[in-house]
Amino acid sequence: MRDRDSNEDAEALALRALVWTLVEPDRAIRLLSVTGLEPHDLRARASDPTVLSAALGFLENHEPDLIACAESLGVKPEALVRAHARLDQGDFEA
């Protein structure tokens, strides 16, 4: 059960990070450009672990955004990195 809880925690944190990313238009455009996602994909698949992992990877690859996001969400940057790793594992139960 703890693995499932960890997955849900990672998803929730990643979704909060995605929302933070999309609030700033220039950053949102960069996210779409870097990940190859389209706005309609993002809307339709925002809770998909693959999309959430891509959003965290985007932040992880630009340290100033990673740090700013972590500060805004009240977590350590390492928490976002751990959530990314957890989502990247892809071991989610249905």
Side-chain angles (χ1 to χ4, degrees):
M1 184 65 164
R2 183 66 201 143
D3 284 346
R4 186 170 174 86
D5 290 344
S6 295
N7 290 343
E8 290 169 358
D9 292 346
E11 287 180 9
L13 182 57
L15 188 55
R16 291 174 54 212
L18 176 59
V19 169
W20 178 88
T21 300
L22 296 174
V23 167
E24 208 286 311
D26 288 340
R27 191 172 45 236
I29 290 168
R30 252 188 321 113
L31 171 70
L32 295 175
S33 176
V34 168
T35 62
L37 290 167
E38 297 289 331
H40 66 276
D41 289 330
L42 198 52
R43 283 189 291 276
R45 299 175 48 215
S47 63
D48 181 328
T50 304
V51 171
L52 295 174
S53 178
L56 289 176
F58 167 79
L59 292 172
E60 198 173 328
N61 285 317
H62 189 69
E63 189 176 9
D65 283 345
L66 178 70
I67 292 169
C69 179
E71 287 177 359
S72 178
L73 299 180
V75 299
K76 292 183 178 185
E78 295 85 1
L80 295 170
V81 172
R82 281 192 306 273
H84 180 218
R86 188 81 184 157
L87 291 169
D88 231 14
Q89 289 177 357
D91 60 350
F92 293 86
E93 298 175 19

